[in-house]
Amino acid sequence: EIVLTQSPATLSLSPGERATLSCRASQSVSNYLAWYQQKPGQAPRLLIYDASNRATDIPARFSGSGSGTDFTLTISSLEPEDFAVYYCQHRTNWPFTFGPGTKVDI
Amino acid sequence: EVQLVESGGGLVQPGGSLRLSCSASGFIFSHSAMHWVRQAPGKGLKCISRINSNGGNPESADSVKGRFTISRDNSKNTLYLQMSSLRPEDTAVYFCVRFTGKAFDIWGQGTMVTV
């Protein structure tokens, strides 16, 4: 099973600041990595797939990069609605796994 | 409107059984691979079962293998998860999710199972 590690666990920032979230895989996942946003009491929402492709209706301030074992989600300028937990997830083989999440708080 | 609606969660005693259902609408369910993902209270996300568009190749994570069975009825646009021999560690919100081949793009609101 591929293990995904996310850092930092918590990122404390202010609106307008840049957020940089990291996801590292225990072995290569090629570019088969997605990012999700989850707010309290809600289901996750797909942000990025295949490492760098924004999902439908996702604002351009969200971007993803990386390949192999190291990936980054960047939020260029935080909006108030961006404060949430972010998860990475691979689809290289079964079982697909998620990272433990990074909480972005104010 | 594209949506997935889960039902069937609730409180069950250890060793008991429960069947979750997920009703799909707004997209071609019979063309979609589907998964169940769960989230224990205050914890992260875990993929537990998947099934391809025609009901073939059902597969489960080791933690539920032999206890949980995923199935679907494309004539009813419905996904199921039959859970048996439930344990306290199975307590979680269970999400029904569509897999595009690249990512999970449609999520239900989740149904809570408490063991």
Side-chain angles (χ1 to χ4, degrees):
Chain A
E1 179 173 306
I2 295 174
V3 176
L4 299 178
T5 304
Q6 291 186 245
S7 62
T10 303
L11 195 53
S12 296
L13 295 168
S14 298
E17 289 193 298
R18 182 184 189 89
T20 302
L21 289 67
S22 175
C23 177
R24 177 164 289 178
S26 59
Q27 64 188 76
S28 177
V29 297
S30 185
N31 69 329
Y32 298 153
L33 191 100
W35 290 92
Y36 301 85
Q37 176 194 68
Q38 188 178 33
K39 297 179 181 179
Q42 297 184 17
R45 177 175 71 142
L46 174 65
L47 300 175
I48 301 286
Y49 65 93
D50 285 353
S52 60
N53 295 283
R54 271 190 305 277
T56 303
D57 295 332
I58 300 303
R61 65 181 181 273
F62 291 92
S63 63
S65 64
S67 66
T69 60
D70 291 294
F71 300 87
T72 300
L73 174 70
T74 301
I75 311 171
S76 59
S77 178
L78 283 163
E79 296 288 340
E81 62 268 27
D82 298 337
F83 292 91
V85 179
Y86 292 83
Y87 295 95
C88 56
Q89 172 251 327
H90 83 86
R91 62 174 178 87
T92 306
N93 53 25
W94 183 256
F96 301 168
T97 56
F98 290 85
T102 290
K103 182 178 182 180
V104 178
D105 67 13
I106 301 176
Chain B
E1 180 188 5
V2 171
Q3 66 176 350
L4 295 167
V5 179
E6 302 94 337
S7 59
L11 176 63
V12 61
Q13 293 298 312
S17 298
L18 214 52
R19 188 176 85 155
L20 306 183
S21 299
C22 170
S23 178
S25 59
F27 64 96
I28 305 175
F29 179 73
S30 61
H31 290 185
S32 302
M34 300 296 296
H35 289 232
W36 288 98
V37 174
R38 73 182 181 186
Q39 185 170 37
K43 303 297 184 182
L45 301 161
K46 184 176 176 68
C47 293
I48 55 168
S49 293
R50 68 174 178 177
I51 192 166
N52 67 18
S53 59
N54 64 12
N57 296 324
E59 203 161 6
S60 292
D62 287 347
S63 57
V64 304
K65 198 169 291 184
R67 300 188 299 122
F68 290 13
T69 302
I70 188 171
S71 63
R72 64 192 295 162
D73 185 338
N74 285 346
S75 70
K76 296 181 179 179
N77 288 344
T78 302
L79 178 73
Y80 302 101
L81 186 67
Q82 179 67 49
M83 305 185 294
S84 60
S85 302
L86 282 160
R87 305 167 180 168
E89 55 265 35
D90 296 319
T91 294
V93 174
Y94 286 72
F95 295 102
C96 164
V97 193
R98 183 176 82 163
F99 181 61
T100 66
K102 294 182 179 291
F104 297 130
D105 69 331
I106 304 172
W107 295 67
Q109 85 287 353
T111 188
M112 183 70 201
V113 172
T114 303
V115 183

